[in-house]
Amino acid sequence: MEKVITTHLFQGEANGIMNVFISNKICNMYVIPRHLIDDAIANPDIKLDRPAFYMLLGGTTEITQLPQAYIGHAESFQERVKSHKSLSVHGKKFWDKTLVFIAGDNTLTKVDVAYIEAKLIDKAAQ
């Protein structure tokens, strides 16, 4: 079965903020470089104040030399990412890009994204 994947480049370039979605699915994926998080939050076309599951992706670990990832969920990604962006003790320093998954029609609930987060963590552990 054919699928059409659409990529919207918000700044007109591939290394900026992107929205990637499949035409017959409700979930949108935003790819947001860390240094553009504030731009994404300020953009009225990007609805990051909804329940979301997300992955923070970044550099390799010193021990394994494998890329690092953090999988999470939030009732409002734009509020949650503030602590991840912080360079304080509680912030996540390793990441340089995030993948944020939200429902375009706002149908995902906190319970939905928590369930998806748990399944992703389980899959990543395998």
Side-chain angles (χ1 to χ4, degrees):
M1 171 185 248
E2 281 186 20
K3 301 222 185 261
V4 175
I5 299 173
T6 303
T7 302
H8 176 208
L9 307 175
F10 282 88
Q11 287 94 4
E13 47 193 64
N15 60 350
I17 301 168
M18 291 187 278
N19 179 15
V20 181
F21 60 94
I22 299 173
S23 59
N24 62 347
K25 304 294 181 188
I26 64 164
C27 203
N28 286 325
M29 177 182 73
Y30 289 97
V31 180
I32 308 170
R34 183 182 190 137
H35 70 280
L36 294 174
I37 286 290
D38 292 333
D39 292 349
I41 290 170
N43 188 322
D45 293 329
I46 304 174
K47 310 289 191 224
L48 298 177
D49 59 341
R50 298 176 177 179
F53 61 96
Y54 61 92
M55 291 181 271
L56 304 177
L57 306 172
T60 60
T61 64
E62 292 178 20
I63 297 170
T64 65
Q65 296 301 307
L66 293 172
Q68 295 183 72
Y70 175 89
I71 299 169
H73 78 279
E75 280 190 76
S76 169
F77 178 76
Q78 73 183 30
E79 291 303 315
R80 182 69 177 111
V81 76
K82 291 175 185 175
S83 66
H84 291 317
K85 194 176 89 163
S86 166
L87 293 178
S88 72
V89 173
H90 302 292
K92 305 278 187 278
K93 297 177 175 85
F94 72 89
W95 68 281
D96 54 17
K97 173 179 20 180
T98 185
L99 308 179
V100 183
F101 300 86
I102 63 166
D105 61 0
N106 203 18
T107 55
L108 286 176
T109 67
K110 179 181 176 181
V111 173
D112 295 328
V113 295
Y115 173 79
I116 295 167
E117 174 201 30
K119 295 303 258 180
L120 286 172
I121 290 170
D122 184 52
K123 195 71 163 168
Q126 292 176 13

